[in-house]
Amino acid sequence: MGRDKPRKKDSARLVWDSKPRRAPNPRDIEFQTAEIVIPNPQRDSAQIPFSFREGRLGEGELDKTKMNRLIWGDNLLAMQALLAQGYEGKIDLIYIDPPFDSKADYSYRLSIEGEEITKEPSIIERLAYKDTWEGGTDSYLDMLYPRLHLMKRLLSPKGSIFVHIGPGVSSYVKNILDEIFGKDRFLNEIVWQRRLGQTQSQRKRFGTVTDSIFWFSKTEDYTFCPQFTKEGAEEYVQERYVRVTPDGRRYKLDNLGNPGYRPTLRYTYKGFPPPKKGWAVSLETMERMDREGRIEYPTKPGGKLMRRQFLDQWLGKPIQSLWDDIPPINSQANERLGFETQKPEALVERVILATLGESAPGRESIPIVADFFCGSGTTMAVAERLGYRWIGSDLGKVCVQLARIRLVQKDAKPFLCENIGNYQREMIYLGGARIHEMMAIVLKLYGATLRKGTPELGTRKAPDDIIELVYVGYPDRPTTAKKVEELARTAEKLDGTGYKRLVVLAWDYDYNFSTELEKRLKSSSQKIKAKIELRTIPPEIYEYLKKAKEEDEIEPLRGKIRFYEKPYLKLDRPEVGKSQNGQVPVKIKIRRYVIFDIPVEKEEEKEKLRQIAKGNFPVLIDYWAVDWNYDGLTFKSQWQDFRGHGRQAKIVKTQAETELTAGKTYAIAVRVVDIFGNDAAGTVEVDLR
């Protein structure tokens, strides 16, 4: 008989039909800086650092690798871009809380003037979650598998990853982590009791009240800082700490013997022979403890030395892998934001402290904490408070907005708000399509018929029977006011009879689009007669088209995609005060903000919001910021106001003010984000010469 082949050790693998064959590689994708946020908690007078107020940004301030980063977009692209930009092996801790409930409600509820409004997830978020669960566990693992590979590459040699997951998929995720990081790098399954009361499913089984948090390290050279708690230790203290020194210090006694045989620790101390296995400490430590009053001498002959454990030096009970002392966020908690899957700061704080230590200030190299499913920004808020650097990323615009406001509220250090540069182009290329093909598809989805020889133009008969000229913008560049003015003039005489209405479908509009277009139309000697209708192409449109492989599959999608009308922002002329000591008071005010299409599904809620906002537009504004000296390239948020969330919600002010140096001309830029995540921006000039 031949010899049996030697069996491989640890060869078990998790296999499913659609499992990706290889991990994704870094991609040379640029990040586009949407905003440099300089939090300013003093709302009444903007105390801005001089260099920012004068529009000068030093090299160190502009070095993205030295700044904290909040990124909107698909985290797969974000991580590939970070790797390509030199972040491989640079992140010291990753905590992620990916969606793990196929029936989860990812809507966001907010209260507007006492009325509850439900902000449904954007189509891109809804589709992402739908895609995640469309094929059941297979598609969920398809989503997570390549992302975990990228996270491993981003981790430093001493780095750790904590994956927070629910019971429905935890066993599968654990197997994937074993495969990617290695079974020998598994450190703990932490069980967190996330629910305190009874659940609704206890009639046929035990209630589910826990989540798992899997802790893996990248190498064996990881960091662990034991954590302690005094929670629920009152009875223990009363029973154990019964002795008191003459100066009133409570203590208990511990054995000074070593549990294992240590011949090098067998010495006689002040006439007391060593225990059978030796002392627990060295002679030097024993002498120091004695000087500090931490040795208890026996009162009777034949007694033994004991160690004093003082209550005022007791750290608490060591925390084990069952975390039942951190309650979920209750309805009255100050940190509650109304975000459905929000986790308590205490939970993330324990993760950070256990792997990185107490605080970062003063360290030669400050560790980086990352969360690529950052949700409402809990990980970044805690890392900021503890002094660590951070990177956060999320697909949901509302999530990014929540996180930005939360960090501004906490007076964070200046940080970057970024988008993935040419995000739509990257998504198109990722699916193997071409830009001109996508433009034609967008026109068809809007219901327009393509014009020959002009791939960006089409025509459509609107519901009011008006024939519209429809323009679709390029996905890799913003649509400018100049372009729209030219199109409007073309529309009046195109095809012989011309068109009474021009509809613009744009992926993005130029920064100062509304102000610039108004200026152009007013200053023109020849009045434009064609009505201009500005709409936005939903960034999730390509996600729909993944399902449409053939031409005849596009038609059924028409009614499902909404091209929302672009919100309208109007700024007043700046108010300029009298110069004092070379400083001039300047005020900027929002005159009007209008959302034409309210993205709320329930008609009754939509109507309530319309009535509330009628004559009171500030209720629609979630956040707005001012750059007092916009350089035309990078928006530097130097003053902010926001509505807040939960119990802290309020209506924003519509006016901001500061002092600017006399003798100069300034371009004051304003950025507004409404409660649905829409962005609007405008600039006005003020001459202080």
Side-chain angles (χ1 to χ4, degrees):
M1 292 179 65
R3 295 183 179 180
D4 292 337
K5 291 183 178 180
R7 291 189 176 185
K8 293 181 180 179
K9 184 181 179 182
D10 296 333
S11 62
R13 292 288 184 271
L14 184 63
V15 178
W16 64 99
D17 286 347
S18 56
K19 182 178 181 180
R21 294 186 178 182
R22 60 177 67 88
N25 291 317
R27 299 183 67 197
D28 192 13
I29 303 168
E30 288 294 322
F31 285 113
Q32 182 181 50
T33 302
E35 189 175 338
I36 296 178
V37 184
I38 309 160
N40 172 37
Q42 299 183 20
R43 305 294 162 210
D44 296 325
S45 58
Q47 303 296 319
I48 303 160
F50 179 81
S51 62
F52 288 102
R53 182 162 54 193
E54 298 303 316
R56 297 197 301 270
L57 290 167
E59 287 300 316
E61 293 165 314
L62 281 176
D63 186 347
K64 292 184 179 183
T65 62
K66 295 181 180 178
M67 294 187 73
N68 295 328
R69 309 173 75 158
L70 177 58
I71 303 164
W72 171 70
D74 188 322
N75 57 17
L76 188 73
L77 292 174
M79 288 189 283
Q80 287 176 302
L82 287 169
L83 285 167
Q85 293 178 15
Y87 275 86
E88 184 155 5
K90 297 293 178 63
I91 294 175
D92 302 281
L93 171 63
I94 296 174
Y95 167 87
I96 59 169
D97 177 19
F100 50 76
D101 183 356
S102 60
K103 301 178 185 65
D105 178 11
Y106 293 99
S107 59
Y108 175 66
R109 285 169 284 280
L110 61 159
S111 178
I112 306 292
E113 297 291 87
E115 295 289 346
E116 290 293 320
I117 305 294
T118 302
K119 162 66 175 75
E120 297 295 333
S122 71
I123 302 173
I124 191 169
E125 295 168 81
R126 195 180 295 119
L127 279 168
Y129 298 131
K130 182 181 176 183
D131 284 352
T132 296
W133 290 105
E134 190 173 47
T137 304
D138 283 22
S139 55
Y140 181 79
L141 300 180
D142 286 346
M143 179 278 294
L144 201 55
Y145 185 77
R147 287 163 173 80
L148 289 171
H149 269 289
L150 294 176
M151 290 177 206
K152 181 181 180 182
R153 293 187 62 176
L154 287 165
L155 278 178
S156 71
K158 292 187 176 183
S160 289
I161 183 170
F162 287 74
V163 180
H164 189 141
I165 209 76
V169 291
S170 59
S171 57
Y172 299 101
V173 173
K174 168 63 167 59
N175 279 317
I176 286 181
L177 289 164
D178 283 341
E179 178 179 320
I180 294 172
F181 288 87
K183 292 174 68 176
D184 56 338
R185 299 277 50 86
F186 170 63
L187 300 174
N188 275 118
E189 177 182 356
I190 298 159
V191 177
W192 175 51
Q193 184 176 344
R194 60 176 167 83
R195 190 188 294 270
L196 302 180
Q198 293 185 342
T199 70
Q200 296 178 348
S201 59
Q202 291 183 279
R203 299 179 70 178
K204 293 187 176 181
R205 61 177 181 176
F206 296 112
T208 302
V209 297
T210 61
D211 289 344
S212 291
I213 304 174
F214 295 118
W215 176 19
F216 281 75
S217 65
K218 186 171 182 177
T219 70
E220 60 183 13
D221 187 23
Y222 64 94
T223 302
F224 175 58
C225 306
Q227 300 296 296
F228 302 88
T229 182
K230 295 182 180 179
E231 193 83 23
E234 295 81 4
E235 186 177 339
Y236 174 82
V237 169
Q238 292 299 323
E239 288 180 355
R240 300 295 180 92
Y241 288 86
V242 295
R243 299 172 182 267
V244 183
T245 63
D247 58 356
R249 295 180 73 188
R250 293 180 67 183
Y251 68 95
K252 71 180 183 76
L253 294 178
D254 287 335
N255 198 339
L256 262 174
N258 204 306
Y261 181 66
R262 296 292 298 277
T264 57
L265 296 180
R266 290 181 57 80
Y267 56 85
T268 298
Y269 184 72
K270 291 189 175 181
F272 289 89
K276 289 184 178 180
K277 295 183 179 180
W279 298 106
V281 296
S282 66
L283 176 59
E284 182 182 11
T285 300
M286 183 80 84
E287 290 172 341
R288 188 182 75 249
M289 289 170 59
D290 202 356
R291 292 193 299 270
E292 294 171 351
R294 292 195 287 143
I295 301 295
E296 177 98 353
Y297 287 88
T299 56
K300 297 179 180 179
K304 58 182 181 180
L305 296 182
M306 299 289 285
R307 184 201 320 241
R308 287 177 174 177
Q309 173 70 60
F310 289 105
L311 179 59
D312 56 22
Q313 294 178 334
W314 183 58
L315 296 174
K317 298 183 296 182
I319 291 172
Q320 310 297 331
S321 62
L322 173 61
W323 293 3
D324 58 359
D325 60 331
I326 299 177
I329 299 172
N330 66 61
S331 60
Q332 302 303 310
N334 286 331
E335 67 177 281
R336 184 179 177 86
L337 300 175
F339 189 72
E340 192 70 24
T341 58
Q342 183 183 350
K343 299 302 183 291
E345 289 193 8
L347 182 75
V348 180
E349 180 173 342
R350 181 171 291 175
V351 168
I352 294 176
L353 294 180
T355 49
L356 299 180
E358 282 298 329
S359 61
R363 294 192 184 188
E364 185 176 339
S365 177
I366 299 177
I368 301 175
V369 179
D371 186 344
F372 297 106
F373 297 86
C374 73
S376 62
T378 301
T379 302
M380 291 97 74
V382 175
E384 179 72 36
R385 172 161 52 82
L386 296 176
Y388 290 102
R389 293 174 58 200
W390 51 262
I391 297 172
S393 173
D394 205 283
L395 184 67
K397 272 198 168 183
V398 170
C399 292
V400 171
Q401 176 61 4
L402 275 171
R404 171 166 54 185
I405 290 175
R406 189 173 184 175
L407 291 160
V408 168
Q409 216 166 8
K410 290 181 177 292
D411 192 22
K413 294 183 292 296
F415 62 92
L416 296 173
C417 260
E418 299 178 292
N419 305 325
I420 294 169
N422 293 322
Y423 184 68
Q424 308 308 329
R425 184 186 66 186
E426 295 297 336
M427 291 303 294
I428 291 168
Y429 289 162
L430 198 62
R434 296 179 180 179
I435 287 176
H436 74 273
E437 294 172 342
M438 179 57 62
M439 293 170 72
I441 289 171
V442 170
L443 286 170
K444 289 179 182 178
L445 287 171
Y446 186 69
T449 302
L450 278 63
R451 292 182 76 257
K452 291 183 179 180
T454 51
E456 73 275 15
L457 290 177
T459 58
R460 185 188 84 139
K461 186 176 182 179
D464 58 4
D465 291 333
I466 291 178
I467 304 298
E468 303 170 332
L469 181 66
V470 184
Y471 167 79
V472 58
Y474 287 80
D476 55 352
R477 69 194 76 161
T479 299
T480 65
K482 180 182 178 183
K483 178 65 176 177
V484 172
E485 182 192 16
E486 291 172 354
L487 286 165
R489 295 197 185 283
T490 301
E492 292 184 338
K493 53 190 176 183
L494 194 66
D495 296 333
T497 57
Y499 296 88
K500 294 180 180 180
R501 183 184 297 154
L502 168 68
V503 177
V504 177
L505 307 176
W507 298 96
D508 193 15
Y509 288 90
D510 207 21
Y511 185 79
N512 198 31
F513 179 87
S514 297
T515 306
E516 183 64 25
L517 184 61
E518 280 190 14
K519 188 190 299 182
R520 283 180 167 275
L521 296 180
K522 283 182 180 179
S523 63
S524 175
S525 57
Q526 188 177 359
K527 188 176 180 181
I528 293 175
K529 297 178 182 178
K531 182 184 177 182
I532 301 171
E533 198 171 281
L534 305 169
R535 295 188 174 275
T536 56
I537 300 169
E540 58 270 17
I541 197 167
Y542 192 70
E543 297 296 319
Y544 268 108
L545 302 179
K546 287 180 181 177
K547 311 291 186 295
K549 303 298 183 185
E550 303 294 336
E551 185 76 17
D552 57 1
E553 292 179 312
I554 294 174
E555 186 65 30
L557 296 174
R558 286 190 183 186
K560 296 183 179 180
I561 296 177
R562 294 287 304 275
F563 294 83
Y564 288 109
E565 196 166 347
K566 184 181 182 296
Y568 175 76
L569 171 67
K570 178 70 174 177
L571 302 175
D572 271 343
R573 295 291 306 166
E575 294 181 26
V576 179
K578 292 183 179 180
S579 176
Q580 293 182 351
N581 301 320
Q583 296 296 301
V584 183
V586 177
K587 295 180 182 178
I588 185 72
K589 185 176 182 180
I590 301 174
R591 180 191 290 183
R592 195 176 176 208
Y593 184 76
V594 182
I595 301 177
F596 296 102
D597 292 321
I598 297 175
V600 172
E601 290 192 0
K602 295 181 180 178
E603 193 57 43
E604 61 271 23
E605 288 188 3
K606 189 182 295 187
E607 185 56 35
K608 284 179 184 177
L609 187 55
R610 282 199 192 100
Q611 293 304 316
I612 293 169
K614 191 176 181 180
N616 188 23
F617 71 83
V619 300
L620 299 172
I621 297 175
D622 197 36
Y623 167 94
W624 72 289
V626 182
D627 181 345
W628 297 105
N629 193 13
Y630 180 52
D631 60 9
L633 298 173
T634 304
F635 182 85
K636 303 172 293 299
S637 167
Q638 302 163 333
W639 181 98
Q640 308 90 22
D641 194 18
F642 46 85
R643 72 181 298 272
H645 301 280
R647 297 164 64 190
Q648 300 176 6
K650 60 180 177 59
I651 298 177
V652 300
K653 302 174 185 177
T654 57
Q655 181 173 283
E657 57 184 293
T658 192
E659 291 184 347
L660 298 174
T661 303
K664 299 181 179 181
T665 300
Y666 295 85
I668 301 174
V670 169
R671 166 166 281 159
V672 173
V673 182
D674 65 38
I675 56 177
F676 300 109
N678 298 311
D679 278 89
T683 62
V684 290
E685 289 191 355
V686 58
D687 191 346
L688 302 183
R689 292 176 296 183

